[in-house]
Amino acid sequence: MIIDLPSTTTSQLNKKLVEIRERGGAVALGRVLTLVIAAEDDEQLEDAIDAANEASREHPSRVIVVAKGTRSAAPRIDGQIRVGGDAGASDVIVLRLYGPLANQGRSAVVPLLLPDTPTVTWWPGKGPKAPAQDQLGQLAQRRITDAAAENNPIRALRTRSKNYAAGDTDLAWTRLTNWRAQLVAALDLPPYEPITSASVTGEADSPSTELLAGWLAEYLNVPVKRVKTTAAQGIVAVRLDRPSGPIELRRPDGKTGTLIQPGQPTRRVDLHRRDNRDCLIEELRKLDPDEVYEAALRGLTKLSSGRKPTQRSKRGGAAAANGQEPAAESTATKEPEA
């Protein structure tokens, strides 16, 4: 059920929620958090709401969508309440803010927050340089950005690393969960030798590739080369060098990875690209500060760089990577890759 309330106020929205609850019980009270979505009022807004609805089936929540409309319009709030089949296991409140109110999202959100529950703020598109200092970020225990949605993902990632505060995280990091799990599992197999160096190959503007390299640099404490390629999308390969031979995890097609290591059979592993719904569900499971993500950001300063030829080599991994870092990064908007 969708109820539109044009030119409304937060007080009227709250009254309508109470009325719906008393009349039909459509809005349950068992919420574990409030999820605030900060976005532009554009064609991507519904995708973010759909992802939040799916996440709410595991994490029942109140979803408050702050959609910034035309700045030159007259000041007003167009409200919308979604319950039942249109809201997953949550109640969704969409606030479309116009004119000067577009920059007053905090004032509109505060009266609608659930009492005595944590708040999470998510920017599915372009986010602030310092999430913890943003007016909506200040309301939240966790702040979720997505560097892959920025015009310049690498620059956005490095800017946020300088402004990191406990509680910050990024979906570019969450998309690495399967990669990190496979690499850690490979190190648990014999021979148990130290890693001497590593390289991570991926697109020049892939923030997930950057974070994976930073994570390895911080935790392995060895030289890590970040190799840039145009041969495939997202992360392409990881190589961990050891005295007896390298561990190589390659994914040229964006779906299935191949794990190669001395003394072990070659294995094929699932490394499909994760969508926003899956990543959001994972992030909402833990509301404490993500110390591993913080460490990966620190590791970004330890990386060296190189460039791989555009044609794919027969071996495919980072072994053939060499050359210099390109002068500039791509600024084209693209789909998130990991």
Side-chain angles (χ1 to χ4, degrees):
M1 179 170 61
I2 298 178
I3 301 172
D4 290 312
L5 297 171
S7 298
T8 189
T9 65
T10 54
S11 176
Q12 291 172 343
L13 284 165
N14 263 322
K15 289 179 180 179
K16 179 59 70 172
L17 283 170
V18 173
E19 177 186 329
I20 294 171
R21 186 182 306 124
E22 292 177 346
R23 184 176 59 193
V27 181
L29 296 177
R31 307 304 189 211
V32 298
L33 60 90
T34 301
L35 175 63
V36 178
I37 301 177
E40 295 292 326
D41 188 11
D42 56 22
E43 64 278 1
Q44 298 179 352
L45 182 63
E46 287 299 326
D47 292 337
I49 296 175
D50 288 344
N53 285 344
E54 291 298 321
S56 73
R57 301 185 190 280
E58 182 171 326
H59 310 282
S61 57
R62 167 168 289 179
V63 178
I64 304 175
V65 183
V66 181
K68 295 182 179 180
T70 305
R71 305 322 193 255
S72 58
R76 76 175 193 276
I77 300 176
D78 286 349
Q80 187 180 80
I81 298 174
R82 305 184 187 186
V83 294
D86 294 293
S90 64
D91 53 299
V92 178
I93 304 171
V94 182
L95 303 174
R96 289 183 167 87
L97 309 181
Y98 297 93
L101 293 178
N103 296 319
Q104 302 297 323
R106 180 188 177 102
S107 299
V109 166
V110 168
L112 300 171
L113 295 175
L114 292 175
D116 303 322
T117 59
T119 299
V120 178
T121 300
W122 173 36
W123 293 268
K126 185 177 181 180
K129 295 180 179 180
Q133 298 174 22
D134 181 84
Q135 58 170 323
L136 293 177
Q138 292 173 352
L139 299 174
Q141 285 74 39
R142 289 297 300 273
R143 297 165 294 275
I144 305 172
T145 53
D146 190 354
E150 301 282 348
N151 290 335
N152 193 320
I154 304 303
R155 181 182 300 169
L157 183 65
R158 291 185 176 271
T159 298
R160 289 184 186 131
S161 71
K162 297 175 183 178
N163 297 304
Y164 174 84
D168 290 355
T169 191
D170 198 286
L171 294 189
W173 169 249
T174 322
R175 296 184 185 106
L176 292 176
T177 298
N178 293 339
W179 281 88
R180 294 193 294 128
Q182 293 296 338
L183 292 171
V184 170
L187 291 175
D188 284 339
L189 298 174
Y192 304 106
E193 298 175 328
I195 303 298
T196 57
S197 64
S199 63
V200 182
T201 302
E203 279 186 294
D205 60 349
S206 168
S208 293
T209 307
E210 203 86 359
L211 284 169
L212 182 58
W215 173 66
L216 291 172
E218 180 69 16
Y219 280 99
L220 295 179
N221 197 27
V222 299
V224 177
K225 177 178 283 189
R226 162 64 161 102
V227 184
K228 301 179 180 181
T229 181
T230 58
Q233 294 182 328
I235 305 172
V236 178
V238 179
R239 174 179 172 127
L240 306 179
D241 293 311
R242 298 189 300 187
S244 64
I247 298 172
E248 293 185 83
L249 181 58
R250 310 170 187 162
R251 189 199 62 177
D253 63 355
K255 297 179 182 178
T256 304
T258 303
L259 180 63
I260 304 171
Q261 56 187 129
Q264 299 290 334
T266 298
R267 291 183 290 164
R268 294 174 65 82
V269 296
D270 180 20
L271 287 176
H272 70 279
R273 295 190 176 98
R274 306 179 70 195
D275 58 27
N276 286 348
R277 178 196 62 182
D278 292 338
C279 293
L280 186 60
I281 289 173
E282 179 179 330
E283 283 298 336
L284 295 181
R285 289 179 187 146
K286 180 182 178 182
L287 299 180
D288 296 329
D290 191 338
E291 296 175 352
V292 183
Y293 170 66
E294 181 184 3
L297 291 177
R298 289 198 303 268
L300 296 178
T301 62
K302 303 179 180 180
L303 304 180
S304 61
S305 60
R307 185 170 183 87
K308 183 178 178 181
T310 56
Q311 63 271 25
R312 298 180 189 178
S313 68
K314 292 182 179 180
R315 289 180 58 82
N322 202 353
Q324 300 298 317
E325 181 178 4
E329 299 157 345
S330 170
T331 58
T333 304
K334 65 184 186 67
E335 292 297 319
E337 304 289 357

